[in-house]
Amino acid sequence: MKQWKSYLAGAWNEGQGDPIILHNPATEAPVAELRRATDLGAALRHARTVGGPALRALSPSDRGALLSRLAKLVHDHREELIEIAIDNGGNTRGDAKFDIDGGTAVLAAYGHLAGELGPGPWILEGEAEPIMRGSKIRAQHVLVPRLGVAIHINAFNFPAWGMLGKLAVAWLCGMPVLCKPATSTAALAARIAEILIEEGQLPEGALSLLLGPVGDLLDHVDPQDVIAFTGSADTGAKIRNHPAVVAGSVRVNVEADSLNAVVLGPDVEQGTELFDLAIRDLVTELTQKAGQKCTATRRVLVPQDRLEEVREALLERLQELASKTGDPALKEVRMGPLSTAQQLHDARTGVAALARSAERIMGDPERSEFVGVDRGKGWFLEPILFQATAEAALDPEAAFHRLEVFGPVATLLPYDGTIAAAATIVGAGRGSLVSTVYSDDRGFVAEAVTRLAPFLGRLVLADEKTAQGSMSPGCVFPVVNHGGPGRAGGGGELGGRAGMQLYLQRTTIQGGAGPLARLLGTT
Ligand code: NAP
């Protein structure tokens, strides 16, 4: 069986103790193993003292060139990586491409962005301003790389995109990275790291890989380090409150749970392209990666008088998907399993909790026969749809506003077609990564922006004219903000230059106008 190793302090690290087994979630067969790594303090020191200086010695454009080269390198290994994602991630081929190509797209995009950053070693932010009216003293903000390690702790659902997306931004800023993928699906991240380390000609110390549990890693953090975490709100809170993190005011970015909503405007009629787009997007968001996406749609707001037509159109498409759920290694399969037995258990528990607030109108959480697998084998959940009453939809305590069931599960929420009601319902999720409004009514859309945006990291507007070129809202492009307020973690990643702020220190350089301009090259 394949044994994956950590890569720490510039060497492959076999780890110690009992092996931790990785599985194929469709067959439950063991596929690889890894062992718990130790001496994590030394690993962080090596990254800080060797990787940091090596990366900072490169200009932003050299670092950008590195990212562009790595995007190509990962792409060259795409077929092999897809197989690993199917085998250890339960991904269909389409799911695997979404993850891997998403990662290479972020590398390429940040490689390109390097061209805008100037020669370094600092990046100018805005223009020099007089410190007060009439003064010859100027203040200029500059952004400089932090001197620590970017510690990336990722969730199980996007081992490639999660890793490469974070890594691209940190490296462009000049920070070395210690990547800790989620254990259950670590094979894909481990192979990508192996490719980058063996073939990527990385500056020494730029990348460390920690496989298995996080151990005492956070005991060794330094005030110049940065932690970017993706995962559950509970783990996010543990990281934020870790004594060493608190003591060092270590920067932490948290991407956590999200009860994303879509709002169908009252003007969206069956038979229009916009209606079809909404149904298509809903099916994609419910079933891509078996619904294990932080950006997946969990709450579907439908005007009360359109509920029946939306429900029927959705049920028809979802039933087809349910009949094609099974072993993702098979061509005819359109949706694979959940990633682990624990995820399946948690999802079933969540489905039972949702049933206290809404009626289950499709899907059997106990179904045990799926395409191409032995009965009872694999961690499968077929698509499950709930429907609430309009009254329950407005109840902020309802389970569908409280609980993220991380699988192919969503709830239809009828509303009265006003943005006021929609804002109450969306806001009951206490902060989300993304929402979509489907409407051609300009007034409705303008009001939606004002009233929904405070709850969201991203608001997608879909209309009839652009329906054909529209992308499903769960697709996170490198230029868009990925993060959300409140329960979504309060973080922000990507978003072009905005995502770089996490890894850079903003310092105001204050001095005489002439010398400052000469020093910073702004004359
Ligand atoms: P999780 O259990 O919180 O694990 C996330 C990561 O944290 C894993 O790498 C895990 O390692 C690690 N971890 C566990 N305990 C830790 C600790 N005490 N200190 C530091 N790290 C620790 O979450 P998950 O079950 O993998 O992911 C599912 C959740 O992630 C969902 O709620 C989903 O909404 C959220 N998610 C959010 C986004 C987003 O961008 N907002 C994206 C994807 C997923 P081990 O695997 O070794 O335990």
Side-chain angles (χ1 to χ4, degrees), residues 153-158 161 180-184 212-214 218 229-236 238-239 254-258 292-295 343 404 406 433 482-483 488 493:
I153 301 177
N154 286 321
F156 70 86
N157 54 346
F158 280 96
W161 182 82
K180 191 224 132 3
T183 301
S184 58
V214 76
L218 299 185
F229 166 77
T230 301
S232 63
D234 285 351
T235 310
K238 275 187 205 155
I239 293 172
V254 173
E255 305 288 352
D257 311 357
S258 184
Q292 300 168 108
K293 283 198 316 185
C294 51
T295 48
Q343 286 300 322
E404 182 201 40
F406 212 53
L433 294 173
H482 181 56
E493 290 184 343

mmCIF file of all heavy atoms in Angstrom, residues 153-158 161 180-184 212-214 218 229-236 238-239 254-258 292-295 343 404 406 433 482-483 488 493, ligand 1:
data_model
loop_
_atom_site.group_PDB
_atom_site.id
_atom_site.type_symbol
_atom_site.label_atom_id
_atom_site.label_comp_id
_atom_site.label_asym_id
_atom_site.label_seq_id
_atom_site.Cartn_x
_atom_site.Cartn_y
_atom_site.Cartn_z
ATOM 1 N N ILE A 153 -4.179 25.175 7.013
ATOM 2 C CA ILE A 153 -4.877 23.975 7.504
ATOM 3 C C ILE A 153 -6.154 23.838 6.679
ATOM 4 O O ILE A 153 -7.023 24.719 6.712
ATOM 5 C CB ILE A 153 -5.198 24.112 9.009
ATOM 6 C CG1 ILE A 153 -3.897 24.318 9.790
ATOM 7 C CG2 ILE A 153 -5.957 22.883 9.507
ATOM 8 C CD1 ILE A 153 -4.082 24.537 11.286
ATOM 9 N N ASN A 154 -6.233 22.752 5.913
ATOM 10 C CA ASN A 154 -7.307 22.655 4.915
ATOM 11 C C ASN A 154 -8.361 21.606 5.251
ATOM 12 O O ASN A 154 -8.113 20.672 6.004
ATOM 13 C CB ASN A 154 -6.694 22.367 3.542
ATOM 14 C CG ASN A 154 -6.011 23.603 2.975
ATOM 15 O OD1 ASN A 154 -6.521 24.715 3.126
ATOM 16 N ND2 ASN A 154 -4.859 23.422 2.376
ATOM 17 N N ALA A 155 -9.526 21.777 4.629
ATOM 18 C CA ALA A 155 -10.648 20.843 4.818
ATOM 19 C C ALA A 155 -10.514 19.667 3.858
ATOM 20 O O ALA A 155 -9.731 19.708 2.905
ATOM 21 C CB ALA A 155 -11.963 21.579 4.590
ATOM 22 N N PHE A 156 -11.316 18.636 4.106
ATOM 23 C CA PHE A 156 -11.171 17.394 3.334
ATOM 24 C C PHE A 156 -11.746 17.481 1.922
ATOM 25 O O PHE A 156 -11.441 16.665 1.069
ATOM 26 C CB PHE A 156 -11.858 16.228 4.077
ATOM 27 C CG PHE A 156 -13.358 16.338 4.085
ATOM 28 C CD1 PHE A 156 -14.103 15.848 3.032
ATOM 29 C CD2 PHE A 156 -14.021 16.956 5.132
ATOM 30 C CE1 PHE A 156 -15.483 15.974 3.024
ATOM 31 C CE2 PHE A 156 -15.389 17.081 5.139
ATOM 32 C CZ PHE A 156 -16.128 16.595 4.079
ATOM 33 N N ASN A 157 -12.605 18.483 1.679
ATOM 34 C CA ASN A 157 -13.402 18.424 0.453
ATOM 35 C C ASN A 157 -12.680 18.939 -0.799
ATOM 36 O O ASN A 157 -13.026 18.552 -1.900
ATOM 37 C CB ASN A 157 -14.730 19.166 0.649
ATOM 38 C CG ASN A 157 -14.530 20.579 1.122
ATOM 39 O OD1 ASN A 157 -13.446 20.954 1.558
ATOM 40 N ND2 ASN A 157 -15.570 21.379 1.050
ATOM 41 N N PHE A 158 -11.693 19.834 -0.620
ATOM 42 C CA PHE A 158 -10.948 20.335 -1.780
ATOM 43 C C PHE A 158 -9.445 20.209 -1.528
ATOM 44 O O PHE A 158 -8.752 21.218 -1.331
ATOM 45 C CB PHE A 158 -11.320 21.792 -2.071
ATOM 46 C CG PHE A 158 -12.616 21.941 -2.813
ATOM 47 C CD1 PHE A 158 -13.790 22.191 -2.124
ATOM 48 C CD2 PHE A 158 -12.667 21.791 -4.185
ATOM 49 C CE1 PHE A 158 -14.996 22.302 -2.793
ATOM 50 C CE2 PHE A 158 -13.867 21.894 -4.872
ATOM 51 C CZ PHE A 158 -15.037 22.160 -4.171
ATOM 52 N N TRP A 161 -7.547 22.284 -4.664
ATOM 53 C CA TRP A 161 -7.841 23.725 -4.748
ATOM 54 C C TRP A 161 -7.513 24.415 -3.419
ATOM 55 O O TRP A 161 -6.928 25.499 -3.405
ATOM 56 C CB TRP A 161 -9.321 23.901 -5.106
ATOM 57 C CG TRP A 161 -9.760 25.312 -5.280
ATOM 58 C CD1 TRP A 161 -9.606 26.085 -6.392
ATOM 59 C CD2 TRP A 161 -10.426 26.119 -4.309
ATOM 60 N NE1 TRP A 161 -10.144 27.340 -6.158
ATOM 61 C CE2 TRP A 161 -10.655 27.381 -4.895
ATOM 62 C CE3 TRP A 161 -10.862 25.901 -2.992
ATOM 63 C CZ2 TRP A 161 -11.286 28.415 -4.219
ATOM 64 C CZ3 TRP A 161 -11.491 26.927 -2.313
ATOM 65 C CH2 TRP A 161 -11.698 28.167 -2.932
ATOM 66 N N LYS A 180 -1.101 21.728 5.827
ATOM 67 C CA LYS A 180 -1.617 20.557 6.525
ATOM 68 C C LYS A 180 -2.983 20.201 5.936
ATOM 69 O O LYS A 180 -3.998 20.817 6.256
ATOM 70 C CB LYS A 180 -1.756 20.829 8.029
ATOM 71 C CG LYS A 180 -2.034 19.538 8.802
ATOM 72 C CD LYS A 180 -3.114 19.750 9.818
ATOM 73 C CE LYS A 180 -4.234 18.811 9.917
ATOM 74 N NZ LYS A 180 -4.394 17.632 9.171
ATOM 75 N N PRO A 181 -3.007 19.214 5.031
ATOM 76 C CA PRO A 181 -4.295 18.819 4.465
ATOM 77 C C PRO A 181 -5.109 18.028 5.484
ATOM 78 O O PRO A 181 -4.548 17.487 6.437
ATOM 79 C CB PRO A 181 -3.919 17.917 3.292
ATOM 80 C CG PRO A 181 -2.497 17.553 3.462
ATOM 81 C CD PRO A 181 -1.884 18.421 4.514
ATOM 82 N N ALA A 182 -6.422 17.959 5.281
ATOM 83 C CA ALA A 182 -7.256 17.093 6.120
ATOM 84 C C ALA A 182 -6.813 15.654 5.909
ATOM 85 O O ALA A 182 -6.477 15.251 4.784
ATOM 86 C CB ALA A 182 -8.714 17.257 5.751
ATOM 87 N N THR A 183 -6.819 14.874 6.964
ATOM 88 C CA THR A 183 -6.221 13.545 6.886
ATOM 89 C C THR A 183 -6.983 12.597 5.954
ATOM 90 O O THR A 183 -6.366 11.890 5.149
ATOM 91 C CB THR A 183 -6.137 12.946 8.306
ATOM 92 O OG1 THR A 183 -5.341 13.823 9.103
ATOM 93 C CG2 THR A 183 -5.508 11.561 8.296
ATOM 94 N N SER A 184 -8.308 12.616 6.010
ATOM 95 C CA SER A 184 -9.073 11.558 5.324
ATOM 96 C C SER A 184 -8.851 11.551 3.810
ATOM 97 O O SER A 184 -8.895 10.493 3.189
ATOM 98 C CB SER A 184 -10.560 11.708 5.636
ATOM 99 O OG SER A 184 -11.015 12.981 5.249
ATOM 100 N N GLY A 212 -1.358 13.990 8.544
ATOM 101 C CA GLY A 212 -1.850 13.466 9.820
ATOM 102 C C GLY A 212 -2.269 14.586 10.753
ATOM 103 O O GLY A 212 -2.398 15.745 10.337
ATOM 104 N N PRO A 213 -2.468 14.249 12.018
ATOM 105 C CA PRO A 213 -3.000 15.235 12.956
ATOM 106 C C PRO A 213 -2.080 16.436 13.131
ATOM 107 O O PRO A 213 -0.867 16.347 12.907
ATOM 108 C CB PRO A 213 -3.106 14.464 14.277
ATOM 109 C CG PRO A 213 -2.903 13.040 13.952
ATOM 110 C CD PRO A 213 -2.215 12.940 12.635
ATOM 111 N N VAL A 214 -2.670 17.537 13.574
ATOM 112 C CA VAL A 214 -1.925 18.796 13.688
ATOM 113 C C VAL A 214 -0.929 18.755 14.857
ATOM 114 O O VAL A 214 0.037 19.522 14.886
ATOM 115 C CB VAL A 214 -2.937 19.953 13.808
ATOM 116 C CG1 VAL A 214 -3.553 20.013 15.193
ATOM 117 C CG2 VAL A 214 -2.334 21.267 13.417
ATOM 118 N N LEU A 218 0.640 24.220 16.733
ATOM 119 C CA LEU A 218 0.281 25.600 17.080
ATOM 120 C C LEU A 218 0.990 26.093 18.339
ATOM 121 O O LEU A 218 1.032 27.298 18.588
ATOM 122 C CB LEU A 218 -1.238 25.732 17.219
ATOM 123 C CG LEU A 218 -2.038 25.415 15.942
ATOM 124 C CD1 LEU A 218 -3.523 25.683 16.156
ATOM 125 C CD2 LEU A 218 -1.535 26.204 14.743
ATOM 126 N N PHE A 229 -7.100 28.923 7.834
ATOM 127 C CA PHE A 229 -7.788 27.668 8.166
ATOM 128 C C PHE A 229 -9.080 27.553 7.371
ATOM 129 O O PHE A 229 -9.832 28.519 7.250
ATOM 130 C CB PHE A 229 -8.110 27.656 9.667
ATOM 131 C CG PHE A 229 -9.106 26.588 10.041
ATOM 132 C CD1 PHE A 229 -8.721 25.265 10.147
ATOM 133 C CD2 PHE A 229 -10.438 26.909 10.264
ATOM 134 C CE1 PHE A 229 -9.643 24.265 10.457
ATOM 135 C CE2 PHE A 229 -11.364 25.920 10.578
ATOM 136 C CZ PHE A 229 -10.966 24.596 10.675
ATOM 137 N N THR A 230 -9.345 26.357 6.872
ATOM 138 C CA THR A 230 -10.645 26.044 6.275
ATOM 139 C C THR A 230 -11.165 24.779 6.931
ATOM 140 O O THR A 230 -10.462 23.769 6.974
ATOM 141 C CB THR A 230 -10.519 25.803 4.758
ATOM 142 O OG1 THR A 230 -9.976 26.981 4.163
ATOM 143 C CG2 THR A 230 -11.871 25.521 4.139
ATOM 144 N N GLY A 231 -12.369 24.841 7.430
ATOM 145 C CA GLY A 231 -12.942 23.661 8.077
ATOM 146 C C GLY A 231 -14.138 24.056 8.910
ATOM 147 O O GLY A 231 -14.801 25.058 8.623
ATOM 148 N N SER A 232 -14.382 23.289 9.945
ATOM 149 C CA SER A 232 -15.599 23.521 10.728
ATOM 150 C C SER A 232 -15.427 24.718 11.667
ATOM 151 O O SER A 232 -14.305 25.082 12.047
ATOM 152 C CB SER A 232 -15.926 22.273 11.529
ATOM 153 O OG SER A 232 -14.891 22.030 12.440
ATOM 154 N N ALA A 233 -16.547 25.299 12.034
ATOM 155 C CA ALA A 233 -16.522 26.453 12.940
ATOM 156 C C ALA A 233 -15.897 26.065 14.280
ATOM 157 O O ALA A 233 -15.169 26.864 14.888
ATOM 158 C CB ALA A 233 -17.945 26.970 13.137
ATOM 159 N N ASP A 234 -16.143 24.841 14.739
ATOM 160 C CA ASP A 234 -15.600 24.412 16.035
ATOM 161 C C ASP A 234 -14.071 24.418 16.013
ATOM 162 O O ASP A 234 -13.426 24.923 16.933
ATOM 163 C CB ASP A 234 -16.059 22.976 16.365
ATOM 164 C CG ASP A 234 -17.509 22.962 16.790
ATOM 165 O OD1 ASP A 234 -18.072 24.060 16.991
ATOM 166 O OD2 ASP A 234 -18.074 21.856 16.908
ATOM 167 N N THR A 235 -13.494 23.828 14.962
ATOM 168 C CA THR A 235 -12.027 23.798 14.873
ATOM 169 C C THR A 235 -11.487 25.222 14.699
ATOM 170 O O THR A 235 -10.460 25.576 15.293
ATOM 171 C CB THR A 235 -11.562 22.894 13.704
ATOM 172 O OG1 THR A 235 -12.224 21.638 13.810
ATOM 173 C CG2 THR A 235 -10.079 22.678 13.726
ATOM 174 N N GLY A 236 -12.201 26.024 13.922
ATOM 175 C CA GLY A 236 -11.785 27.417 13.748
ATOM 176 C C GLY A 236 -11.693 28.138 15.088
ATOM 177 O O GLY A 236 -10.731 28.870 15.358
ATOM 178 N N LYS A 238 -11.228 26.738 18.012
ATOM 179 C CA LYS A 238 -10.085 26.187 18.780
ATOM 180 C C LYS A 238 -8.780 26.869 18.347
ATOM 181 O O LYS A 238 -7.927 27.185 19.170
ATOM 182 C CB LYS A 238 -9.957 24.681 18.520
ATOM 183 C CG LYS A 238 -10.843 23.842 19.399
ATOM 184 C CD LYS A 238 -10.520 22.361 19.182
ATOM 185 C CE LYS A 238 -11.735 21.533 19.550
ATOM 186 N NZ LYS A 238 -11.808 20.251 18.888
ATOM 187 N N ILE A 239 -8.621 27.048 17.061
ATOM 188 C CA ILE A 239 -7.377 27.657 16.552
ATOM 189 C C ILE A 239 -7.278 29.105 17.018
ATOM 190 O O ILE A 239 -6.243 29.534 17.533
ATOM 191 C CB ILE A 239 -7.322 27.550 15.010
ATOM 192 C CG1 ILE A 239 -7.179 26.085 14.612
ATOM 193 C CG2 ILE A 239 -6.189 28.399 14.430
ATOM 194 C CD1 ILE A 239 -7.295 25.815 13.130
ATOM 195 N N VAL A 254 -10.254 32.505 8.994
ATOM 196 C CA VAL A 254 -11.097 31.311 9.130
ATOM 197 C C VAL A 254 -12.157 31.291 8.027
ATOM 198 O O VAL A 254 -12.887 32.265 7.841
ATOM 199 C CB VAL A 254 -11.780 31.281 10.524
ATOM 200 C CG1 VAL A 254 -12.796 30.146 10.605
ATOM 201 C CG2 VAL A 254 -10.733 31.126 11.623
ATOM 202 N N GLU A 255 -12.184 30.176 7.302
ATOM 203 C CA GLU A 255 -13.271 29.903 6.350
ATOM 204 C C GLU A 255 -14.031 28.722 6.912
ATOM 205 O O GLU A 255 -13.508 27.613 6.966
ATOM 206 C CB GLU A 255 -12.704 29.515 4.972
ATOM 207 C CG GLU A 255 -11.741 30.501 4.360
ATOM 208 C CD GLU A 255 -12.422 31.763 3.877
ATOM 209 O OE1 GLU A 255 -13.657 31.820 3.873
ATOM 210 O OE2 GLU A 255 -11.695 32.704 3.527
ATOM 211 N N ALA A 256 -15.254 28.942 7.368
ATOM 212 C CA ALA A 256 -15.962 27.873 8.074
ATOM 213 C C ALA A 256 -17.310 27.559 7.422
ATOM 214 O O ALA A 256 -17.459 27.726 6.223
ATOM 215 C CB ALA A 256 -16.113 28.267 9.533
ATOM 216 N N ASP A 257 -18.244 27.104 8.252
ATOM 217 C CA ASP A 257 -19.547 26.656 7.731
ATOM 218 C C ASP A 257 -20.276 27.788 7.006
ATOM 219 O O ASP A 257 -20.044 28.948 7.293
ATOM 220 C CB ASP A 257 -20.478 26.247 8.877
ATOM 221 C CG ASP A 257 -19.815 25.313 9.850
ATOM 222 O OD1 ASP A 257 -18.668 24.936 9.629
ATOM 223 O OD2 ASP A 257 -20.476 24.966 10.842
ATOM 224 N N SER A 258 -21.194 27.418 6.158
ATOM 225 C CA SER A 258 -21.978 28.454 5.490
ATOM 226 C C SER A 258 -23.304 27.893 5.010
ATOM 227 O O SER A 258 -23.337 26.855 4.351
ATOM 228 C CB SER A 258 -21.191 29.004 4.305
ATOM 229 O OG SER A 258 -21.892 30.061 3.711
ATOM 230 N N GLN A 292 -20.625 18.306 -0.798
ATOM 231 C CA GLN A 292 -19.604 18.651 0.207
ATOM 232 C C GLN A 292 -18.804 19.860 -0.273
ATOM 233 O O GLN A 292 -17.617 19.765 -0.555
ATOM 234 C CB GLN A 292 -18.683 17.468 0.444
ATOM 235 C CG GLN A 292 -19.409 16.234 0.952
ATOM 236 C CD GLN A 292 -18.526 15.009 0.890
ATOM 237 O OE1 GLN A 292 -18.062 14.502 1.886
ATOM 238 N NE2 GLN A 292 -18.265 14.541 -0.304
ATOM 239 N N LYS A 293 -19.492 20.955 -0.397
ATOM 240 C CA LYS A 293 -18.850 22.205 -0.825
ATOM 241 C C LYS A 293 -19.289 23.277 0.153
ATOM 242 O O LYS A 293 -20.476 23.398 0.452
ATOM 243 C CB LYS A 293 -19.335 22.611 -2.228
ATOM 244 C CG LYS A 293 -18.712 21.829 -3.334
ATOM 245 C CD LYS A 293 -18.866 22.515 -4.688
ATOM 246 C CE LYS A 293 -20.235 23.070 -4.939
ATOM 247 N NZ LYS A 293 -20.388 23.618 -6.288
ATOM 248 N N CYS A 294 -18.329 24.081 0.583
ATOM 249 C CA CYS A 294 -18.678 25.180 1.500
ATOM 250 C C CYS A 294 -19.586 26.172 0.807
ATOM 251 O O CYS A 294 -20.345 26.883 1.456
ATOM 252 C CB CYS A 294 -17.414 25.864 1.983
ATOM 253 S SG CYS A 294 -16.339 26.337 0.624
ATOM 254 N N THR A 295 -19.521 26.234 -0.528
ATOM 255 C CA THR A 295 -20.331 27.197 -1.275
ATOM 256 C C THR A 295 -21.646 26.584 -1.770
ATOM 257 O O THR A 295 -22.397 27.228 -2.503
ATOM 258 C CB THR A 295 -19.548 27.715 -2.494
ATOM 259 O OG1 THR A 295 -19.004 26.584 -3.175
ATOM 260 C CG2 THR A 295 -18.421 28.642 -2.082
ATOM 261 N N GLN A 343 -18.478 11.477 8.082
ATOM 262 C CA GLN A 343 -19.281 12.478 7.359
ATOM 263 C C GLN A 343 -20.685 11.950 7.103
ATOM 264 O O GLN A 343 -21.662 12.684 7.223
ATOM 265 C CB GLN A 343 -18.608 12.833 6.017
ATOM 266 C CG GLN A 343 -17.383 13.703 6.136
ATOM 267 C CD GLN A 343 -17.671 15.046 6.785
ATOM 268 O OE1 GLN A 343 -18.710 15.658 6.550
ATOM 269 N NE2 GLN A 343 -16.780 15.505 7.628
ATOM 270 N N GLU A 404 -25.537 23.241 9.107
ATOM 271 C CA GLU A 404 -25.046 22.946 7.773
ATOM 272 C C GLU A 404 -24.884 21.431 7.655
ATOM 273 O O GLU A 404 -24.008 20.846 8.298
ATOM 274 C CB GLU A 404 -23.687 23.618 7.549
ATOM 275 C CG GLU A 404 -23.125 23.400 6.162
ATOM 276 C CD GLU A 404 -21.623 23.612 6.096
ATOM 277 O OE1 GLU A 404 -20.917 23.191 7.036
ATOM 278 O OE2 GLU A 404 -21.158 24.185 5.104
ATOM 279 N N PHE A 406 -23.457 18.699 5.636
ATOM 280 C CA PHE A 406 -22.422 18.742 4.606
ATOM 281 C C PHE A 406 -22.555 17.547 3.668
ATOM 282 O O PHE A 406 -21.805 16.579 3.728
ATOM 283 C CB PHE A 406 -21.054 18.773 5.288
ATOM 284 C CG PHE A 406 -20.023 19.557 4.517
ATOM 285 C CD1 PHE A 406 -20.252 20.855 4.112
ATOM 286 C CD2 PHE A 406 -18.796 18.993 4.207
ATOM 287 C CE1 PHE A 406 -19.301 21.583 3.404
ATOM 288 C CE2 PHE A 406 -17.834 19.704 3.506
ATOM 289 C CZ PHE A 406 -18.090 21.003 3.103
ATOM 290 N N LEU A 433 -21.082 32.533 2.759
ATOM 291 C CA LEU A 433 -20.054 32.787 1.741
ATOM 292 C C LEU A 433 -20.650 33.431 0.500
ATOM 293 O O LEU A 433 -20.064 34.326 -0.093
ATOM 294 C CB LEU A 433 -19.394 31.472 1.335
ATOM 295 C CG LEU A 433 -18.578 30.752 2.408
ATOM 296 C CD1 LEU A 433 -18.134 29.382 1.906
ATOM 297 C CD2 LEU A 433 -17.365 31.585 2.787
ATOM 298 N N HIS A 482 -13.469 35.150 -1.338
ATOM 299 C CA HIS A 482 -13.945 33.880 -0.792
ATOM 300 C C HIS A 482 -13.842 33.952 0.724
ATOM 301 O O HIS A 482 -12.757 33.874 1.304
ATOM 302 C CB HIS A 482 -13.118 32.720 -1.341
ATOM 303 C CG HIS A 482 -13.590 31.385 -0.822
ATOM 304 N ND1 HIS A 482 -14.886 30.959 -0.981
ATOM 305 C CD2 HIS A 482 -12.954 30.416 -0.129
ATOM 306 C CE1 HIS A 482 -15.021 29.771 -0.407
ATOM 307 N NE2 HIS A 482 -13.863 29.415 0.122
ATOM 308 N N GLY A 483 -14.984 34.098 1.332
ATOM 309 C CA GLY A 483 -15.049 34.251 2.784
ATOM 310 C C GLY A 483 -16.407 34.838 3.081
ATOM 311 O O GLY A 483 -17.162 35.163 2.166
ATOM 312 N N ALA A 488 -19.741 32.074 8.738
ATOM 313 C CA ALA A 488 -18.828 31.677 7.654
ATOM 314 C C ALA A 488 -17.366 31.862 8.053
ATOM 315 O O ALA A 488 -16.472 31.492 7.302
ATOM 316 C CB ALA A 488 -19.142 32.449 6.378
ATOM 317 N N GLU A 493 -10.474 35.168 1.502
ATOM 318 C CA GLU A 493 -9.315 34.692 0.739
ATOM 319 C C GLU A 493 -9.525 35.096 -0.713
ATOM 320 O O GLU A 493 -10.626 35.504 -1.097
ATOM 321 C CB GLU A 493 -9.192 33.167 0.832
ATOM 322 C CG GLU A 493 -8.782 32.687 2.215
ATOM 323 C CD GLU A 493 -8.559 31.181 2.285
ATOM 324 O OE1 GLU A 493 -9.009 30.460 1.382
ATOM 325 O OE2 GLU A 493 -7.937 30.743 3.251
HETATM 326 P P1 NAP B 1 -12.526 20.066 10.444
HETATM 327 O O1 NAP B 1 -12.813 18.813 11.149
HETATM 328 O O2 NAP B 1 -12.637 21.345 11.185
HETATM 329 O O3 NAP B 1 -11.060 19.893 9.841
HETATM 330 C C1 NAP B 1 -10.469 20.885 9.058
HETATM 331 C C2 NAP B 1 -8.964 20.805 9.200
HETATM 332 O O4 NAP B 1 -8.595 21.142 10.543
HETATM 333 C C3 NAP B 1 -8.384 19.421 8.950
HETATM 334 O O5 NAP B 1 -7.150 19.557 8.292
HETATM 335 C C4 NAP B 1 -8.183 18.875 10.343
HETATM 336 O O6 NAP B 1 -7.209 17.886 10.424
HETATM 337 C C5 NAP B 1 -7.751 20.119 11.068
HETATM 338 N N1 NAP B 1 -7.914 20.083 12.517
HETATM 339 C C6 NAP B 1 -8.706 19.272 13.239
HETATM 340 N N2 NAP B 1 -8.589 19.576 14.551
HETATM 341 C C7 NAP B 1 -7.718 20.600 14.647
HETATM 342 C C8 NAP B 1 -7.199 21.360 15.726
HETATM 343 N N3 NAP B 1 -7.556 21.146 16.981
HETATM 344 N N4 NAP B 1 -6.317 22.335 15.453
HETATM 345 C C9 NAP B 1 -5.941 22.598 14.188
HETATM 346 N N5 NAP B 1 -6.412 21.913 13.124
HETATM 347 C C10 NAP B 1 -7.282 20.927 13.347
HETATM 348 O O7 NAP B 1 -13.456 20.250 9.175
HETATM 349 P P2 NAP B 1 -13.762 19.184 8.032
HETATM 350 O O8 NAP B 1 -14.725 18.228 8.572
HETATM 351 O O9 NAP B 1 -12.520 18.685 7.390
HETATM 352 O O10 NAP B 1 -14.426 20.129 6.950
HETATM 353 C C11 NAP B 1 -15.801 20.305 6.857
HETATM 354 C C12 NAP B 1 -16.173 21.709 7.201
HETATM 355 O O11 NAP B 1 -15.350 22.630 6.507
HETATM 356 C C13 NAP B 1 -17.582 22.048 6.791
HETATM 357 O O12 NAP B 1 -18.250 22.605 7.878
HETATM 358 C C14 NAP B 1 -17.423 23.074 5.693
HETATM 359 O O13 NAP B 1 -18.417 24.064 5.647
HETATM 360 C C15 NAP B 1 -16.132 23.691 5.998
HETATM 361 N N6 NAP B 1 -15.530 24.182 4.783
HETATM 362 C C16 NAP B 1 -15.449 25.528 4.607
HETATM 363 C C17 NAP B 1 -14.885 26.041 3.460
HETATM 364 C C18 NAP B 1 -14.770 27.525 3.257
HETATM 365 O O14 NAP B 1 -14.001 27.928 2.398
HETATM 366 N N7 NAP B 1 -15.474 28.339 3.990
HETATM 367 C C19 NAP B 1 -14.387 25.185 2.488
HETATM 368 C C20 NAP B 1 -14.486 23.823 2.697
HETATM 369 C C21 NAP B 1 -15.051 23.333 3.859
HETATM 370 P P3 NAP B 1 -7.579 16.328 10.422
HETATM 371 O O15 NAP B 1 -8.250 16.044 9.145
HETATM 372 O O16 NAP B 1 -6.256 15.683 10.562
HETATM 373 O O17 NAP B 1 -8.477 16.124 11.605
#
